Amino acid sequence: MSSSSAFNDEKGGSSSVGEPEYGHDPASGGIFSSDYKRHDDLKEMLDSNKDSLKLEAMKRIVAMIARGKNASDLFPAVVKNVACKNIEVKKLVYVYLVRYAEEQQDLALLSISTFQRGLKDPNQLIRASALRVLSSIRVTIIVPIMMLAIKEAASDMSPYVRKTAAHAIPKLYSLDPDQKDQLIEVIEKLLADKTTLVAGSVVMAFEEVCPERIDLIHKNYRKLCNLLIDVEEWGQVVIINMLTRYARTQFLNPNANESLLEEGGEKTFYGSDEEEGKEDKVEAAALVVKRKPYVMDPDHRLLLRNTKPLLQSRNAAVVMAVAQLYFHLAPKAEVGVIAKALVRLMRSHSEVQYVVLQNVATMTIKRRGMFEPYLKSFYIRSTDPTQIKVLKLEVLTNLANETNISTILREFQTYIKSMDKDFVAATIQAIGRCATNIGEVRDTCLNGLVQLLSNRDELVVAESVVVIKKLLQMQPEKHSDIIKHMAKLTDNIQVPMARASILWLIGEYCEHVPKIAPDVLRKMAKSFTNEEDIVKLQILNLAAKLYLTNSKQTKLLTQYVLNLAKYDQNYDIRDRARFIRQLIVPTDKSGALSKYAKKLFLALKPAPVLESPFKDRDHFQLGSLSHLLNAKAGGYQELPDWPESAPDPSVRNVEVPEWTKCSSREKRKEKKVEKPFYSDSEGESGPTESADSDSDTGSGSGSGSDSGSEDSGSESGSEESEGESDSEKDEKDKRKSGKKKAKKTAPESEESEQSSTEEQKKSTKSKEPKDRSDSESEDEEESSTESSESESEEESESDTDAKKKKKTIPSKPPPKQAKKEKKEMSLLDLDDFEPTPSPQVTPVSNFVSSSLATDLEGLSLTDTALSPSAASPTCGPLKTYELLHRITGEGLAVTYCFSRRPFTGDPHMVSVQIQFTNNTEVEARSLRVLEPKLQSGMRIAEFPEIDVLPPGEISTVVMGIDFCDSTQAANFQLCTHTKKFFVTIQPPVGELMMPIFMTENEFKKEQGQLMGMNEITEKLTLGEGCRGDHVIIQRVISTANLSRVPCGSAMECRFAGKTVTSGSLVLVTVVTKEERAAQVTVNCEKMLIGTMLVKDILQALSQ
Amino acid sequence: MIHSLFLVSTAGHIFLEKHWKSVISRSVCDYLFEAQGKASAPENVPPVIATPHHYLISVYRDRIFFVAVIQTEVPPLFVIEFLHRVAETFQDYFGECSEASIKDNVVIVYELLEEMLDNGFPLATEANILKEMIKPPTILRSVVNTITGGRELRSVFAWSVAQGSGSSNVGGTLPTGQLSNIPWRRTGVKYTNNEAYFDVVEEIDAILDKSGTVVFAEIQGVIDACVKLSGMPDLTLSFVNPRLLDDVSFHPCVRFKRWEAERVLSFIPPDGNFRLMSYHVNAQNLVAIPVYVKQNVSFFETGSSGRLDITVGPKQTMGKTIEDVVITVHMPKVVLNANLTTNQGTSTYDPVTKVLVWDIGKLNQQKVPNLKGSLSLQSGAPRPDENPTLNIDLRIQQLAISGLKVNRLNMFGEKYKPFKGVKYVTKAGKFQVRT
């Protein structure tokens, strides 16, 4: 009541501005006559015991502050009341304190203890409010106290207090930027907070304090995406804007493939939201370009999915934030959804319209199709403010195309009659732009504009002249009548720009109007002295051009004009006159230039391009202040470009307790598993895929019955580089590779010894599977014969082909070839060596060694074809992953596979075999590894630098990586002499171990020690093609680098291995039951590895 | 984010300032005044002005400029939306958002602004939370203010002392709404009469050309609610024909998932008045234009005069009467005066603003309202070549022109039986006839 009374007074008094201040200050009440006394009154009230008096005084003081009057001298009196019991007085004191503390730092310190007490209050709201005020007091001395308070509040039980702490962070930061490091720690802690209340505020603090620390977001990314819908609207805006930036650094451009394809046509057939559908298309497209198909990171998809509902928000800022997110991040086909929401915002306040239209204008340049259905929503009403009209016009112009131009021009016609002349001028310009962009309507527009020349409003005529000038420049010869018409206008038009334009036109095209031009110059010479500068310059130009083309008639006139200009006040004009005289009037002094004067003046001028002012504005993040101003505002964070290859996606994996992690992984996996369905070659890794997906696909395709499809897959994968199937016959090559092999194997004598001992078992072993398929499983045999068939087909077909290739590639045969060969051989072997009746007879045989043995068998068959991986204890084909696609690698393709052989240098490393293919025309030099970025503990043994890789050549190297028993990716750069590529190697979990040999008893003993937490058991139903234990064995072994442990029971298969780095035992048991039921048990003290391995094995077996 | 806020009247008087960070001199508003000088109308002042050190983002509402001073990058819509929210809060608190009402309640305004922003970042913008923390001025208190006129301070003091905390703006209890996960509703709501009213208001936005053909027409609708229910009611509102709704936006209380799945509005309402949803009616549905307008405005080359003849009649009204028909015409500047006669309603021409207003009232079938007469132009001035646009305002009670119908309203979570009501209104939005 009282404050208002104060102001009633004030209203009356405010008109008399000239009076001394106290004269109309309510506090004086007209009684006191000096400042000193006035404040005395207030002080007295503040000192009284009655809260009501204090309140009254505070209200008046606040009213003074509100009006911008100085009340700082009351500080001592006010600050005393900071501990007042009355809550309203207290609040007003806070208001005062925050306003003046900066000016009265010493006195402000008196209040600090009150807040410190408040920070300990049991009531969360009081704690929060104390922190709020404390952090708002801008006194440098209390920085340590604030820091302490913030840290404490950041771990408060109440989310509301934590929110307040988040708010306090930027306050402290602006007060003392040196605290940044400590504040970042607090931010990091609060970012991990799971409540919606805190999320918005802490991201705001993040944006103000350390927007460059994008790495802090990784672990919270998914959580933020999921919380988003429940965060309050202001927080949503901040989070969405931040995530847009984040996504730009972490994911791949979803439109990269499309931009490579022919452009222009809208891909409307992408209509569906579903990823699968799109992937098919993309893949089809990719086949054309032979480019790696794009796979959207599930986290990228998560962001798009979770922000979409917010388009329905009532808050325009939220809608805009989502719209810009979609514009910058979504695949082209999905961006369309934002159009409707943005059009909805056009019904909001005019300020909102203004901002939205600016953004829509930018969007329409890039994505016209998006807004085309809403064309009519941009029609202009006579009641719109001018700035809105102009922006709508801009959008309409951007949307104009051949089909809708007639409608738009009809609209424009009504706009030209508007009362708002600025708007009419803008409309004329818009017509000009439509005419330049759409050739069909150029003549119509031109005629319309010519009609406007007779308009009564000079501004309209002037604008028309300027636009007509630009249009005529495109095809002047057709329009000499228009030029004539315009020549006549020089008598009437007074707007300088228009006069200048006409004169320029006449001068430029004086050959089209030879009779009129000299006459115009005559008139202009008469009025020269009264013209504006810009017109004078054009008169000079006209004179010069006429002199050059028609010097007979205009010589004197030109001289006259030049003389006039010589004494003009403006030095530009004097300069120009001097310049022109020297150039066109031949004198003895004038040099060679005057010979070319005609060429200089009458050169063909390119027609101007009428461009939208919104072109290229989209390099600013849409919706930002910088975009609106088209200039970088302070604190603007650049929107980064898409990365060339995706950074490691696993950084967003959150460390959670094993069991929950298990389920979350399962969920992710479900999504991932589908991949092979929509793209074969996609399975061949891609840097975008995360660890689990890799292992999924690896295990899925590695197993035997898949071999048909796997064949084709690997064929297509490798056909560019090699002919794979004829190696058996190509003796010469064999020998070479054999030599190489021999060299390579030398250091691994241990292994080869081992394998040689195994060799003896070979026959028994290979009998086993054969028997199985013979007696029981028909389909298995089918599949194997099928694959052998296809193989032989391939052989005969590609034989000659491949031979040619071989000849052209005289280098050592790539190890991959040998690998393939080996795989095929093992398949053949299954066929060949399967006469033995019973598997039970030789249960002890180890499958690993079996495959090894068959390898060796194959080797002996083929005499010398040994390659590095031939001796590896692997079964089935090695899965090859792509490290660098040849398009991204600019011709350099790099693939890698896990060769499953101990790394020579270091037993704790997994050896990775890398194959370089140079598809370019030039040789690549000095291929090497640079700047590995590794998780802590991880190590890389780099491969020896490849000096030269000639065009078309293939080279293979082996490097070792110590993954520290985790599926975290190893990131590093691959360098050539010119380029650097960021690449990622991510191991499937099964590659993190190596086989060990164990007896049944040892196995049981070890298993007994790894019970409880270390044992993971899952039940499953075996897949259709997964009958017979040799298939099971094959699949398990292709999934994980394990060796088989002999076992007495036919229903059980056991495998053992140890992790490469730490040597922890990994024991796998697969028990088959009736029907197709089975059970997988993994014992491993590394629970994470166990969990992942179970998943992968399940995956492999249930296919 | 938001550094300072200035409230400026159209006359250029800064009547309130509030700073959330260090103080920024009010001279920064000079840039606004400069822009204002260039603009022909306050609406034409650009919402974003860049100055050497700051950025001014302003909204113009109720003849007041709300000017936010920004120093670093911030989404402009964020600020604009917030400033409008501030204006709406004032409206809600004081019944009107005007210079006078803000000055009268300057302390409450200050307290509100203090709560709404913390360090320039929005803190509590929900009306329900704010009202818990800061009590709106009651009638009693404003009556006292009116009677005393604020002059007899002493007596008021005495009275307020007697009343104890009765005069306090600030709630004695601390707000809890901020802590709950439904921040838009305050706790402990109690009413003796539990009632919930929903107004379905539809507006026709249309542009008709000279001959009366529709250039562009669409229907925008909102559902405004006034819910006064005790406790924590959980409401479900369903429509007979939800397919009509094309594009919707919701109050945060509406559960979006249920709308997506079942096309019903499920929500725990805020207490009091709020806008539940806004919608746009599917564009395929042809919009029924309820009136026809025949007009003829012409200016003669000689004699500096013109003629005007406007006829309005009902068309496609679905059996309802059209009320409150008003036609507004912004005349060209050269029109000095109008000498008009009408057979219904009243017409006035303001020669200063050049606005002709014809207030017709109800349209009835029998007698068609007509306005005609002559316009006198400034002598000597050339004939204006533009024709004025007619803006039409109208209202149809008990009709949603799109045909949208509320099916039923169910309440869960509370035991009592509330009184429910739904009202339909159709209005003209931006309804223009070009001539």
Side-chain angles (χ1 to χ4, degrees), chain A residues 127-388:
Chain A
R127 286 202 302 279
S129 119
L131 178 63
R132 230 184 107 188
V133 184
L134 180 71
S135 55
S136 298
I137 294 174
R138 284 173 300 275
V139 177
T140 337
I141 276 186
I142 63 163
V143 162
I145 302 178
M146 277 164 75
M147 193 70 230
L148 215 65
I150 290 173
K151 277 185 179 163
E152 213 157 277
S155 39
D156 199 286
M157 271 164 50
S158 150
Y160 184 65
V161 178
R162 295 202 298 272
K163 182 190 177 74
T164 320
H167 275 273
I169 291 169
K171 296 184 202 171
L172 179 54
Y173 179 65
S174 68
L175 192 63
D176 182 9
D178 292 345
Q179 304 292 320
K180 186 169 177 178
D181 292 341
Q182 287 196 59
L183 288 174
I184 290 177
E185 275 170 36
V186 183
I187 289 175
E188 199 173 356
K189 182 172 181 187
L190 287 172
L191 274 173
D193 205 298
K194 288 189 176 54
T195 55
T196 52
L197 210 53
V198 185
S201 307
V202 68
V203 172
M204 202 267 304
F206 170 83
E207 288 284 82
E208 297 229 336
V209 178
C210 53
E212 73 284 353
R213 289 291 305 277
I214 211 82
D215 56 301
L216 296 180
I217 303 301
H218 290 323
K219 293 269 179 252
N220 303 296
Y221 172 82
R222 288 175 194 153
K223 182 196 70 196
L224 282 175
C225 285
N226 289 325
L227 285 184
L228 195 59
I229 190 120
D230 292 321
V231 175
E232 38 87 37
E233 35 196 1
W234 310 110
Q236 284 172 346
V237 178
V238 180
I239 295 177
I240 293 171
N241 281 324
M242 186 275 292
L243 288 179
T244 308
R245 245 177 45 237
Y246 177 84
R248 269 295 184 101
T249 62
Q250 299 299 317
F251 305 130
L252 290 178
N253 184 357
N255 299 316
N257 280 342
E258 285 166 50
S259 57
L260 274 187
L261 294 172
E262 36 70 53
E263 255 310 69
E266 305 295 332
K267 297 194 166 44
T268 37
F269 52 82
Y270 280 5
S272 81
D273 248 11
E274 283 166 281
E275 218 174 322
E276 284 87 340
K278 189 159 39 293
E279 288 308 326
D280 282 340
K281 306 282 185 192
V282 172
E283 191 201 306
L287 282 179
V288 179
V289 204
K290 283 208 174 164
R291 194 175 198 283
K292 175 183 62 191
Y294 166 74
V295 183
M296 184 180 273
D297 190 300
D299 288 327
H300 190 170
R301 174 56 62 199
L302 177 78
L303 178 62
L304 292 176
R305 199 175 45 229
N306 284 7
T307 47
K308 199 173 167 189
L310 295 176
L311 283 173
Q312 254 63 50
S313 171
R314 63 168 173 174
N315 188 319
V318 177
V319 177
M320 189 67 231
V322 179
Q324 66 83 21
L325 181 132
Y326 262 75
F327 183 79
H328 289 301
L329 299 181
K332 209 170 164 192
E334 292 168 45
V335 182
V337 296
I338 64 175
K340 201 186 268 184
L342 287 177
V343 170
R344 184 181 69 229
L345 296 185
M346 305 269 305
R347 282 173 242 142
S348 191
H349 305 281
S350 81
E351 295 88 3
V352 176
Q353 283 186 42
Y354 176 79
V355 178
V356 171
L357 279 169
Q358 297 249 4
N359 288 295
V360 170
T362 306
M363 290 184 195
T364 46
I365 289 173
K366 269 272 160 74
R367 308 265 155 87
R368 182 169 65 199
M370 201 162 94
F371 287 97
E372 255 176 24
Y374 305 97
L375 183 72
K376 288 188 171 179
S377 303
F378 298 101
Y379 280 6
I380 292 155
R381 294 158 200 282
S382 59
T383 41
D384 288 331
T386 309
Q387 49 194 355
I388 302 287

Side-chain angles (χ1 to χ4, degrees), chain A residues 761-805:
Chain A
K761 299 177 190 167
K762 126 219 137 173
S763 57
T764 47
K765 249 177 309 109
S766 42
K767 278 171 204 162
E768 178 205 335
K770 164 65 188 177
D771 160 65
R772 268 286 147 118
S773 55
D774 242 357
S775 53
E776 290 169 34
S777 83
E778 288 235 321
D779 48 332
E780 157 60 21
E781 186 172 291
E782 258 169 40
S783 79
S784 54
T785 45
E786 204 176 80
S787 59
S788 65
E789 257 168 40
S790 71
E791 201 243 330
S792 53
E793 258 173 42
E794 159 69 19
E795 241 169 73
S796 53
E797 268 174 27
S798 62
D799 211 332
T800 48
D801 242 2
K803 266 182 185 158
K804 267 184 239 157
K805 265 189 207 164

